[in-house]
Each structure stands twice: as structure tokens, then as C-alpha cells.
Amino acid sequence: MLSKRFNEALSFAAELHATQTRKGSGIPYIAHLLAVASIALEYGANEDEAIAALLHDAIEDQGGAIAREQIRRRFGDTVTAIVEGCTDADTLPKPPWRQRKETYLAHLLSASPSVRLVCAADKLHNARSILNDYRQVGEDLWTRFKGGRDGTLWYYRSLVETFKQIDSTPLIEDLARVVDELETTCKNPVRLSS
């Protein structure tokens, strides 16, 4: 069961990301954080992992070192370590996109099972969202992403391959299925009605 720590983390995440929306959609960012926590819980997350799922983008997007220390103070070292492990950059300006993603992929090979669980839950929700958005807006979707179409597809395929080098879990298999579907759909674009 989840304790009041989870509720506190949910409130904290909602405060941190209050003005943030999902890329190009206008959807409040908290929807993504809730989805990632839900996916993580569905695949066996404990409370620390679920809290980290709610906060997985806090260091990267909402304050760097300051957010890190707030998380440590409020939720402890274990949650902080998981959130740090899910962070691909905590400085501004961020390093170049491709370099950042390659470094993150290499990091996943030695990341803890908790980091991999939260990261995979995050990537699964992102991939589902990309697939859904692609079906709605078509090729225009790729302008939302620094990696564009080719870079984004490369990154998600590389994530699947990296995760599979470590372990093959039901979560990773679900991510692989969504990435396969995304690649297939992008090769055979959906015709948008005008």
C-alpha cells in the first residue's frame, strides 16, 4: 500500500510542474507523471520507486541541484538516487541532444533495477504518447522533438536494445511492442483527413 509519502510526492510534483505541458499538446505535465507512476506500479514498483516515478523529471526540468536537495530532504536518498538515475542532464544549457542520449543509454547498462524500472515506465508512456500523437497529426509531430523523426526513432529503438541487453521483463517487452508499432506506423503513415 502507498503511504502519505506518495500523496506528498504527488502534491510536490504537481507544484513543481504546475506550468509545464506535454510537448505540443497542451496536456498538463502532471498527466505524464501520473501515467509513469501508474505504469511503474503495474509492473511491481515499491513506494520509493513510485515516488521517484512522480519526480523523475524534477531535477532535469525543474531546478537541477535545488530540486535534487528538496527531493533528498523530503523523500530520502533512495528516491533521490532513482530520480538522479533517470536524469539525462541537470545543467543549463543542456549538452547537445545526441550526445546526451548516447551518454544516457550507456548509463542504463549499469543503472540499478529501480532506475531501469522507472526509466522504462517513462519511456513506455512517452512512446505510447508519440504513437497516439503521430496518428493525430502525422509527420508534423516530429517538429516537437530535437532529434526529429529519425533521431527519435533511433533513440527509442536504442532504448529497447539497451534494456534487452540487461534483462527481458514484461515491461521491456511492452516497450518493444510499442516501439515496433511506432516504427511500422511511421513507415506506413496514417492518412489524415482534412
Side-chain angles (χ1 to χ4, degrees):
M1 298 300 292
L2 299 174
S3 73
K4 76 178 208 174
R5 283 178 72 233
F6 182 85
N7 296 338
E8 290 169 10
L10 178 56
S11 293
F12 183 54
E15 289 169 25
L16 282 176
H17 297 274
T19 61
Q20 193 175 357
T21 57
R22 295 284 281 164
K23 288 180 182 177
S25 70
I27 296 170
Y29 203 77
I30 192 69
H32 170 64
L33 304 176
L34 287 166
V36 174
S38 176
I39 292 167
L41 286 164
E42 288 170 15
Y43 286 95
N46 62 34
E47 186 172 55
D48 281 341
E49 293 162 339
I51 289 169
L54 289 172
L55 301 173
H56 75 274
D57 280 332
I59 294 172
E60 186 172 322
D61 293 342
Q62 298 300 323
I66 294 169
R68 177 184 291 110
E69 288 315 307
Q70 289 177 317
I71 293 167
R72 188 179 316 282
R73 189 178 72 251
R74 293 175 79 161
F75 304 105
D77 291 337
T78 300
V79 170
T80 305
I82 298 168
V83 175
E84 285 175 325
C86 294
T87 301
D88 77 1
D90 63 356
T91 58
L92 290 175
K94 291 181 179 182
W97 183 85
R98 180 75 181 225
Q99 172 191 335
R100 202 168 73 238
K101 299 308 179 190
E102 288 173 349
T103 300
Y104 189 74
L105 289 164
H107 149 77
L108 283 176
L109 292 170
S110 61
S112 73
S114 293
V115 168
R116 292 193 313 267
L117 170 65
V118 173
C119 177
D122 173 37
K123 303 315 180 198
L124 176 56
H125 184 253
N126 284 342
R128 286 175 177 168
S129 296
I130 292 168
L131 182 59
N132 183 53
D133 289 352
Y134 183 81
R135 288 179 174 144
Q136 292 179 32
V137 300
E139 289 296 313
D140 289 345
L141 170 73
W142 305 115
T143 62
R144 299 178 187 175
F145 297 94
K146 288 189 175 147
R149 177 187 189 277
D150 293 342
T152 302
L153 293 175
W154 161 81
Y155 182 52
Y156 279 86
R157 175 53 54 201
S158 297
L159 283 162
V160 169
E161 291 170 2
T162 300
F163 282 126
K164 283 188 171 190
Q165 284 181 48
I166 304 159
D167 200 5
S168 183
T169 66
L171 174 55
I172 301 309
E173 293 305 316
D174 281 351
L175 177 61
R177 278 190 288 279
V178 174
V179 171
D180 288 347
E181 187 176 354
L182 180 60
E183 289 173 333
T184 300
T185 302
C186 291
K187 286 179 190 168
N188 304 301
V190 175
R191 300 256 187 249
L192 301 174
S193 55
S194 29

